Amino acid sequence: MSNDDQYGGGGYGEVGGTGQTRTRLPDTPTDPYGTPRRTPRASRGLITVVGVVVLLIAAIAFANQSGDTAPPASSDKAPATTPTAPTGTRPLTPQPGTLPKGFAHDEQGAQSAAANYTVALGSDGMLKRDQRHAIMDALYTPTASAARKGTQDSAYSTAFLASLGLDADGNAPQGSVFVTRAVPVGTRVDSYSPTNAKVSVWYTGLLGMSGPKSTDPVRTTWKTWTFELTWAGEDWKVSADTQQDGPAPVPGDVPASTSDDISKAVKEFGGFTYAR
């Protein structure tokens, strides 16, 4: 409701009726519905006064907010956990088909490195010897990489690959898709210095064979991967790492998808570069 609607509806009409004197008010403009209005001069004057008052109130409020007095501290304690949203610092400029590298030399960079290393080390590239060695050379320190290659080659033995339904080269049978992905949920800094950092990554994994004859359907896992990182060669490198199960939430009640849906999703949905 405007000011004219509120105040001009009934105060300027004629008083009429039997036995009463009719008083003619000065001519004033009327709107299309016949309701008399204030003169333009009076309306402009009122608008000017109201505008000045509003500006004055706004100026006083702004002055009070911009003073040197700090706002009262909240009585609530700061949350013990760190936010999961990225802080806004760009972690790196990834190149298609390459492993992540070039992380910031700070605590945030260490977290970003750990999250992305989890993805790389949980990928299907680890099933193939040459790709596995390339991944380890890129992410680990030279000493750690050399020490772990033999252990990893033994772990990914022909017998182990066969238990997953893969051939000796880590390939799935024709018409099937082997799924292995690590999806970070959050990171935690256990310790940090400019030269060394210990970062834990809580992640969920997808693992299994998607295919018409699969006896090992794709399932989810929940684990925590802890990395000991060293700043070397202008980047964070893994010097040691361990894994443990959980924390694992209660499984949901979403019905399992068909093998075809899983295979299609794995091919269509790409992964992410993770930032802290």
Side-chain angles (χ1 to χ4, degrees):
M1 179 182 293
S2 67
N3 289 335
D4 286 342
D5 292 331
Q6 182 176 359
Y7 299 111
Y12 295 95
E14 297 178 347
V15 178
T18 304
Q20 294 183 347
T21 302
R22 296 173 62 85
T23 303
R24 181 178 179 83
L25 297 176
D27 291 337
T28 58
T30 59
D31 62 19
Y33 300 96
T35 303
R37 301 180 303 178
R38 297 184 184 89
T39 62
R41 183 184 302 275
S43 297
R44 287 197 297 269
L46 178 60
I47 292 173
T48 301
V49 172
V50 173
V52 171
V53 172
V54 171
L55 290 176
L56 181 60
I57 294 174
I60 294 173
F62 180 80
N64 290 335
Q65 290 180 354
S66 60
D68 294 334
T69 303
S74 173
S75 59
D76 297 333
K77 294 182 179 180
T81 58
T82 54
T84 56
T87 63
T89 302
R90 187 180 183 87
L92 71 160
T93 303
Q95 299 294 326
T98 62
L99 294 170
K101 62 180 180 179
F103 295 94
H105 189 190
D106 55 22
E107 188 172 313
Q108 176 184 322
Q111 293 181 76
S112 296
N116 286 282
Y117 293 171
T118 298
V119 175
L121 293 169
S123 68
D124 57 3
M126 294 294 289
L127 301 173
K128 305 177 186 301
R129 184 178 183 277
D130 291 344
Q131 292 185 36
R132 180 169 62 250
H133 287 187
I135 291 173
M136 299 186 69
D137 286 340
L139 306 187
Y140 286 79
T141 63
T143 301
S145 177
R148 285 179 170 268
K149 283 180 181 177
T151 303
Q152 291 286 357
D153 288 346
S154 298
Y156 288 97
S157 64
T158 300
F160 174 73
L161 294 176
S163 70
L164 299 177
L166 305 172
D167 64 17
D169 295 323
N171 298 312
Q174 186 174 1
S176 297
V177 177
F178 187 77
V179 182
T180 172
R181 284 195 186 186
V183 184
V185 177
T187 58
R188 181 189 68 212
V189 177
D190 298 320
S191 63
Y192 177 80
S193 74
T195 55
N196 296 281
K198 186 177 181 180
V199 180
S200 294
V201 181
W202 180 34
Y203 75 96
T204 182
L206 302 178
L207 183 67
M209 183 76 73
S210 177
K213 299 181 180 180
S214 173
T215 58
D216 184 24
V218 179
R219 61 195 182 277
T220 57
T221 61
W222 288 90
K223 293 180 178 292
T224 298
W225 206 329
T226 300
F227 295 93
E228 293 184 23
L229 303 172
T230 299
W231 184 257
E234 300 303 316
D235 208 351
W236 291 107
K237 300 292 184 179
V238 181
S239 57
D241 61 306
T242 57
Q243 289 197 65
Q244 64 182 37
D245 292 335
V250 175
D253 56 358
V254 179
S257 299
T258 65
S259 176
D260 288 342
D261 287 341
I262 293 295
S263 298
K264 183 179 179 182
V266 170
K267 294 177 181 178
E268 291 182 347
F269 291 88
F272 296 96
T273 295
Y274 290 84
R276 191 67 179 99

